[in-house]
Amino acid sequence: MTGASAVAPGIRAAFDDHLAHADETGATALALGLLRAGVAAEDVLLRLIAPAQAAVGARWVSTEWSVAQEHAATHVSERAVSGVAAAAARSRPRDSAPARRVVFACVEGECHTLPARIAAEVLRLRGFDVTFLGANVPAPRLVSHMHRHGPDLVGLSCMIPVRLPAAHHLVECCQRAGTPVLVGGSGFGPGGVWARTLGADLYAPDPAAAAETLAVRWPQTPREAAPLGHLADEEYFRIVRQRAELLRRLLAHLLERYPRLRDPGAEHAEAVLEDLGRLPDVVAAANYVDDPKVLTDYLSFGAEFLHARGVPTAALGVALATLSGPLGGLPRAAAHLDAGRRWLTAAAHAVPPA
């Protein structure tokens, strides 16, 4: 029994309930029960755990769940994946034929491990020899592993675009070591647009697509590292050097404009300041790939995030205006900030203001 029908809505609802109650034992037992009933392990991973975890994130964004609930539920999902992976390993027939070796890693600064872990387990189920290095993998650690173990392919996960510069560094390191790179994750943009910008050898939108792509299109030699000639103007590096001052100025203006955020006991204040505090990094990432959509996509998320927490989405406009002063002398950065302001104006006309 495989496919979408293998995980009935009632089963998904029961799994969601286990996540809501941080019930690791119940969630793992449910997933293993599906395996015993004949549901393919890949279906359990992709049609039960992955969509349930996506819903966890949506509940956090909407404030239906606290960050503590989201973290607890994520831990339960991770344990369920481990249980499914262990059970699948025990039932896998012994095969002496050498398998292609793949190492998966989350790019430096990326702590959302579950999508990459699921992708790694799907490839393992498809017969690959997979090693998963986990979250926040710096280049020296990855390169050291490659030199010791000589993988045939590196898979990199990036879930938020602010990590694109780090992703590019890892892509370059792998390719210079002669190892092709498969990338995935929402951080690479719709359709993997920024994966192409960064010169990745392959992009896959989801774990099943990664496995299917590799089955028919294994990259024989890595591409040349993407040059990103626009970085010669050094705007990106100037933004990075100013990061601390940009953040200080940004938070000062926001706290002056929205004094309730000063109260450490104010509901959601810390989360709001943390999210808005990412804007200098978002602008830097937009500059790195020279695409204002990095910024406008963040503004789309930020508007939803702030609205759910009772903060006027005008705070995003305040933030962009604050950054425009010190970054006004950087033509590409200024153009991206202008695109962000135009997006906010269009969104304000399309949706009643918060």
Side-chain angles (χ1 to χ4, degrees), residues 102-253:
V102 179
V103 57
F104 264 90
C106 297
V107 303
E108 187 167 6
E110 180 59 73
C111 295
H112 298 86
T113 61
L114 195 58
R117 173 72 191 282
I118 290 175
E121 295 306 334
V122 168
L123 260 66
R124 201 190 311 275
L125 289 167
R126 298 286 187 102
F128 294 92
D129 178 359
V130 180
T131 300
F132 180 55
L133 298 184
N136 187 26
V137 177
R141 179 182 168 199
L142 178 59
V143 171
S144 175
H145 178 90
M146 291 168 61
H147 285 323
R148 289 199 310 271
H149 301 284
D152 300 302
L153 180 81
V154 171
L156 297 177
S157 176
C158 176
M159 298 305 294
I160 52 177
V162 296
R163 308 299 178 204
L164 286 171
H168 189 216
H169 182 47
L170 288 184
V171 169
E172 287 183 315
C173 288
C174 294
Q175 292 173 335
R176 286 169 182 163
T179 306
V181 182
L182 165 74
V183 302
S186 55
F188 290 104
V193 59
W194 300 315
R196 292 187 291 275
T197 300
L198 301 186
D201 297 281
L202 294 173
Y203 163 80
D206 56 67
E212 289 155 11
T213 296
L214 293 176
V216 299
R217 187 187 164 200
W218 188 272
Q220 295 303 311
T221 56
R223 295 180 180 178
E224 293 283 337
L228 299 187
H230 57 268
L231 294 180
D233 62 16
E234 297 203 353
E235 283 198 19
Y236 167 75
F237 305 102
R238 291 173 65 183
I239 297 170
V240 171
R241 286 195 294 269
Q242 295 182 68
R243 182 184 184 278
E245 175 58 23
L246 291 172
L247 184 58
R248 184 201 65 76
R249 182 187 296 234
L250 175 62
L251 294 180
H253 281 204

Side-chain angles (χ1 to χ4, degrees), residues 324-348:
S324 292
L327 297 180
L330 305 180
R332 288 193 299 110
H336 295 158
L337 289 166
D338 285 343
R341 283 191 288 271
R342 289 194 299 272
W343 186 93
L344 286 175
T345 299

